[in-house]
């Protein structure tokens, strides 16, 4: 990940996400990133911090919190209209995005994964209000919200939007209880809210290629999910065919097929199972209109949204005059915004959410080059059977030679008296670092970052301080017998291993290793 200036937006969660902040900052500093810190102090503050960071030309804006924090940082970056990449360090209850893209739960390991990431363009969803329909037949067209609201409120989502029971459940969750109990707090809210939920009337419209709206479904539903990604409720795939780069949104409607069917669907959700096709409807589209009663709550990426945040003062005042919101209809418009933002994706990620996988394309291109090159040397002629046999044999001989060379490179060189004495001094005087995790730094050739802890000097026994060790081509590596080893040995490092390091430690805890004993 190439980055010079980063911003870390932290949702402290009563201090939980601050416990390892020094460790995280050491890793980011070891990558050469100048990182500014912003801590959320009130609702909506994370979006403001992200917006200011993007406008301040931060290359990377990192959300350190749950999916709600990721959503706020996303909106802040998008609204800034600047070229900043969004990064994620999970620190919430569900952490769906982190789970979807293989980001480790541990913040230090997540920071290492962030260093070893690449920016990928992804689609995001946008939600606006198109129209209010009142019981007397009046229709108020909502032309759009003011620039003030666009900057202040969240209109974009990365994961999904939900209309119905899930938004009601999330609205009833106590944040202090959520921080203490995690998913259990959501379960307590569900037990309270679900019996109060009733099916509601729905109309769904999609916009065709010629820009004309077409009514595709009408009926009663208990829940609507507009998915930009697949997972919902931690492990459940509600929109299993969704891709993050296909330019469309996937809609799952849990329909009302009678009391038994509704309870079956609710049970499926609570047990993290996919609803069956008999009582669920699925739609896809780049532009989707959904009309529901104004009383139906809305959530984006797991955080509830107030309808008034999408309306002008005049429209909201007209809505407030109605005593029963169940008889006022609101038409939401959900749009897919293709490749609207860049987000940091670990290079080790399988790419399941991407329809167009970068790694697969690179591999295909490489294979094509390998096939085409021999053809160019032979005048673009098809290889005959003998040529194929020769090339096959040559390929395997080359592989064997490469394997033998690699084995020799990773073997330790014999120790001599000088290196044995040097290692003895390092073992006695060097800094001991217990490994937490490691990652290559692709921005620097042949460079690794190892995060760990080292005993505090001039302090009581057992006290440690977080460090991040930078190992590059200038670092001399030895084993404990004094033999020189190659950098390939770093790939075998495991959590809990102890390194002996020589090098100057910065104020951020970065050690530029000159010598190191594995």
């Amino acid at each position: 990940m190439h980055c010079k200036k980063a911003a870390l937006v932290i949702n402290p969660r009563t201090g939980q996400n601050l416990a390892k902040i020094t460790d995280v900052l050491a890793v980011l500093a070891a990558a050469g990133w100048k990182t500014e810190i912003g801590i959320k102090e009130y609702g909506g503050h994370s979006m403001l911090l992200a917006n200011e960071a993007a406008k301040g030309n931060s290359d990377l804006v990192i959300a350190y919190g749950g999916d709600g924090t990721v959503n706020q940082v996303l909106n802040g970056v998008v609204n800034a209209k600047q070229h900043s990449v969004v990064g994620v360090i999970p620190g919430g209850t569900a952490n769906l995005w982190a789970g979807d893209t293989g980001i480790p739960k541990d913040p230090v390991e997540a920071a290492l994964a962030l260093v070893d990431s690449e920016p990928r363009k992804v689609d995001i969803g946008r939600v606006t209000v198109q129209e209010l329909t009142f019981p007397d037949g009046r229709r108020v067209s909502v032309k759009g919200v003011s620039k003030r609201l666009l900057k202040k409120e969240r209109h974009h989502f990365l994961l999904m939007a939900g209309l119905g029971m899930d938004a009601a459940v999330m609205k009833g969750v106590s944040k202090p209880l959520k921080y203490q109990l995690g998913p259990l707090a959501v379960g307590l809210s569900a037990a309270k809210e679900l019996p109060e939920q009733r099916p509601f009337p729905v109309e769904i419209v999609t916009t065709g290629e010629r820009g004309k709206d077409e009514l595709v479904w009408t009926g009663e539903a208990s829940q609507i999910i507009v998915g930009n990604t697949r997972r919902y409720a931690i492990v459940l795939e509600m929109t299993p065919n969704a891709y993050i780069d296909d330019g469309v949104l996937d809609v799952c409607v849990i329909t009302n097929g009678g009391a038994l069917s509704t309870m079956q669907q609710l049970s499926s959700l609570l047990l993290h199972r996919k609803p069956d096709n008999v009582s669920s409807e699925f739609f896809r589209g780049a532009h989707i209109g959904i009309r529901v009663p104004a009383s139906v709550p809305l959530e984006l990426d797991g955080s509830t949204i107030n309808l008034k945040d999408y309306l002008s003062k005049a429209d909201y005042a007209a809505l407030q005059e109605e005593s029963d919101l169940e008889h006022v209809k609101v038409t939401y418009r959900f749009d897919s915004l293709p490749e609207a933002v860049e987000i940091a994706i670990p290079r080790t990620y399988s790419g399941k959410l991407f329809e167009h996988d970068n790694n697969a394309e690179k591999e295909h291109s490489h294979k094509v080059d390998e096939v085409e090159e021999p053809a160019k040397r032979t005048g673009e002629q098809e290889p005959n059977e003998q040529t194929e046999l020769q090339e096959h044999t040559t390929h395997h001989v080359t592989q064997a030679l490469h394997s033998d060379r690699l084995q020799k490179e990773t073997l330790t060189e014999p120790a001599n008296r000088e290196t044995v004495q040097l290692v003895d001094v390092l073992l006695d005087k060097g800094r001991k670092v217990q490994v937490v995790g490691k990652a290559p730094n692709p921005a620097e050739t042949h460079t690794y970052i190892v995060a760990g802890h080292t005993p505090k000097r001039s302090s009581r026994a057992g006290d440690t301080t977080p460090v991040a060790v930078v190992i590059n081509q200038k670092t001399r590596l030895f084993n404990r017998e004094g033999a020189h080893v190659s950098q390939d040995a770093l790939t075998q490092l495991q959590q809990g291993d102890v390194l002996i390091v020589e090098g100057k430690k910065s104020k951020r805890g970065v050690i530029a290793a000159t010598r190191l004993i594995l």
Side-chain angles (χ1 to χ4, degrees), residues 17 42 53 74 97 130 187 216 249 298 306 337 445 481 489 495 503:
N17 288 339
Y42 53 85
L74 171 78
W97 175 255
Q130 277 188 313
V216 294
L249 297 170
L298 168 70
N306 293 319
L337 306 182
T445 306
E481 287 71 41
Q495 189 178 60

Side-chain angles (χ1 to χ4, degrees), residues 1 24 28 60-67 70 85-92 94-118 120 122 158-159 231 342-351 353-354:
M1 183 77 185
V24 169
L28 303 185
L60 177 68
V61 184
I62 308 165
Y64 184 7
D67 293 313
V70 175
V85 178
V86 175
V88 175
I89 295 178
N95 304 307
L96 290 181
W97 175 255
D100 275 344
T101 53
I103 300 173
K105 292 182 180 179
D106 179 80
V108 180
E109 294 182 23
L112 288 166
L114 189 59
V115 172
D116 190 25
S117 293
E118 60 179 351
R120 298 284 301 272
V122 302
L158 178 64
L159 301 168
R231 288 206 304 162
E342 282 191 303
I343 195 162
I345 304 294
R347 292 198 303 152
T348 54
Y349 174 57
S350 64
L353 273 179
F354 289 87

